[in-house]
Amino acid sequence: MSDIRAGEIAVALPDTFDAGVYFIGHIRTPWKTRGECPRNARGSDAVCTIELEERYAAALEGVETCTHLVVLYFMHEARRDLVVQVSRHSGRRGTFALRSPVRPNPIAISVVRLVRVEGKKLSVVGLDCLDGTPLLDIKPYFASVDSVPEAVVGWSKGGGE
Amino acid sequence: MSDIRAGEIAVALPDTFDAGVYFIGHIRTPWKTRGECPRNARGSDAVCTIELEERYAAALEGVETCTHLVVLYFMHEARRDLVVQVSRHSGRRGTFALRSPVRPNPIAISVVRLVRVEGKKLSVVGLDCLDGTPLLDIKPYFASVDSVPEAVVGWSKGGGE
């Protein structure tokens, strides 16, 4: 593992995993390096493509009726052992107060706007991940349970990510 | 595997997993069976408890400044091979148009209101899962990227989950 910054805390992770996940497809974005990725999901209007594996194609039935989706993906390049992280942008924070890819289970969620469905490919706006990122899940976004406009992250002054 | 309903489609899953996840804690709720669980997360005002494993306790630093969190958990009792599902409530739908626990990667997300943090325990409102459900992740909810009040799930008439 690479070095950690002053103030960061790494822990020993368990020796074995408790469950497994399948990569069910991949995400195509314009960004080939972390440095190129937008700072957050509202930072780009780029249309990205979700390419589902053929075996799961039938699971898209009805997805075209959704204006927005929740996309879950696996940040497979991230280290998993930091519980406290330090960054210029966010200061010193516990991992669960951050949306950093560095976390025990590097599963990201992004709320995206669905542009179109063509076969097993979805075109969406609102992703900020690396090209080739493995896909874990797609869910319909229900405003009734998923939208909380008044939510506040106190440590983040402007309310931005 | 148990039988499937008329109209449902099961697929052969890959022989091996692509990545592993750690259960980082457990969720305590009043519901011991699927039948007792509320229909969705806004269906109950019950205060539930998230109990984090000791090794990750430091990762909660700063979480107390959040009004709302995204909780990711693993629905470890769900089958994973259905791509089309049939239910009395939702009709016949593709898995990715549903929030059903039955999906290739049975990872649920719930947006919860944080009531309090005490050591490695969080009290929250907005969960609808079984008592003892394994926890995967906790994230701050940023209204700026996570809240889309105008989102519509077309197949779901009233907009409810």
Side-chain angles (χ1 to χ4, degrees), chain A residues 7-62:
Chain A
E8 292 190 325
I9 300 174
V11 297
L13 291 169
D15 293 331
T16 56
F17 292 120
D18 295 298
V21 294
Y22 303 112
F23 294 165
I24 63 169
H26 287 85
I27 298 174
R28 295 292 159 200
T29 75
W31 309 295
K32 309 290 183 192
T33 65
R34 285 283 294 276
E36 294 173 48
C37 293
R39 264 261 318 121
N40 71 47
R42 299 272 166 108
S44 169
D45 287 335
V47 177
C48 300
T49 306
I50 298 172
E51 297 183 2
L52 198 61
E53 275 196 27
E54 183 61 38
R55 81 172 77 215
Y56 306 109
L60 291 176
E61 188 179 323

Side-chain angles (χ1 to χ4, degrees), chain A residues 9 11-24 40-42 52-53 55-63 65-70 72 74-75 80 82-84 92-100 103-111 135-156 159-161, chain B residues 9 11-24 40-42 52-53 55-63 65-70 72 74-75 80 82-84 92-100 103-111 135-156 159-161:
Chain A
I9 300 174
V11 297
L13 291 169
D15 293 331
T16 56
F17 292 120
D18 295 298
V21 294
Y22 303 112
F23 294 165
I24 63 169
N40 71 47
R42 299 272 166 108
L52 198 61
E53 275 196 27
R55 81 172 77 215
Y56 306 109
L60 291 176
E61 188 179 323
V63 166
T65 73
C66 302
T67 62
H68 293 77
L69 302 170
V70 185
L72 277 69
F74 202 78
M75 298 171 291
R80 300 172 68 158
L82 295 190
V83 291
V84 172
R92 177 194 149 105
R93 306 286 165 202
T95 291
F96 300 138
L98 294 169
R99 291 290 274 260
S100 160
R103 51 208 316 117
N105 293 308
I107 300 168
I109 64 163
S110 285
V111 177
L135 177 70
L136 292 179
D137 198 11
I138 300 168
K139 301 178 190 292
Y141 182 97
F142 283 92
S144 55
V145 293
D146 298 322
S147 180
V148 186
E150 73 275 17
V152 172
V153 177
W155 67 256
S156 172
E161 192 181 2
Chain B
I9 301 174
V11 297
L13 292 169
D15 293 331
T16 56
F17 292 119
D18 295 299
V21 294
Y22 304 112
F23 295 165
I24 64 169
N40 71 47
R42 298 272 165 108
L52 198 61
E53 275 197 26
R55 78 172 78 214
Y56 306 110
L60 290 176
E61 187 177 323
V63 166
T65 72
C66 301
T67 62
H68 293 76
L69 302 170
V70 185
L72 278 68
F74 202 78
M75 297 171 291
R80 301 173 66 159
L82 294 190
V83 290
V84 172
R92 177 194 150 104
R93 306 286 164 203
T95 291
F96 300 139
L98 295 170
R99 292 289 274 263
S100 159
R103 49 209 317 117
N105 293 307
I107 300 168
I109 63 162
S110 285
V111 177
L135 177 71
L136 291 179
D137 199 12
I138 300 167
K139 301 179 190 292
Y141 182 97
F142 283 93
S144 55
V145 294
D146 298 323
S147 180
V148 186
E150 72 275 18
V152 172
V153 177
W155 68 256
S156 172
E161 192 181 1

